[in-house]
Amino acid sequence: MSFLISLFVVLHMICWAVALGTWVASARTRVPNKGMAHATAGALVFGIVLAALVSIGGDPNHMKLGIKLLLAIVATVLAYIANKKQAETPSAVWFGIPTAILVNIIVAVFV
């Protein structure tokens, strides 16, 4: 079980890194890459699987998991909105994506 949890943690973090990296790569032109939306969705799915595995194996922090789930949903929805609107993406949506990702990471590390 420990290996499985570690594997999903690695995949979850890789997805967040790809999402943030593709945002940074397209920040100058503000034309989002499709990979950003798929990476945020992947991080959301891997996070849900991780929450289920942690719940089976021990006593999870439900407040932390709920906050991270909400932030992951927000980041995913904003990334798909940006992907649909392309160059006409509003600033609130465009800058909301890395904000949700970074706050999610901060909650994971410090809470």
Side-chain angles (χ1 to χ4, degrees), residues 4-46:
L4 199 57
I5 290 174
S6 297
L7 176 68
F8 279 106
V9 167
V10 168
L11 292 172
H12 181 68
M13 297 309 278
I14 287 172
C15 284
W16 282 131
V18 168
L20 193 58
T22 55
W23 184 88
V24 169
S26 59
R28 181 177 294 168
T29 61
R30 290 181 69 167
V31 177
N33 186 346
K34 289 182 182 182
M36 180 172 53
H38 295 303
T40 56
L44 174 63
V45 170
F46 288 134

Side-chain angles (χ1 to χ4, degrees), residues 17-103:
V18 168
L20 193 58
T22 55
W23 184 88
V24 169
S26 59
R28 181 177 294 168
T29 61
R30 290 181 69 167
V31 177
N33 186 346
K34 289 182 182 182
M36 180 172 53
H38 295 303
T40 56
L44 174 63
V45 170
F46 288 134
I48 291 170
V49 171
L50 271 171
L53 290 175
V54 169
S55 295
I56 291 170
D59 187 28
N61 183 347
H62 292 291
M63 179 69 78
K64 178 179 180 177
L65 292 176
I67 292 169
K68 286 181 57 57
L69 176 64
L70 179 66
L71 289 167
I73 290 170
V74 167
T76 303
V77 168
L78 291 177
Y80 274 98
I81 290 171
N83 190 32
K84 183 171 176 77
K85 295 203 180 256
Q86 289 295 314
E88 292 86 29
T89 302
S91 292
V93 171
W94 183 251
F95 292 108
I97 297 167
T99 303
I101 292 170
L102 292 175
V103 172

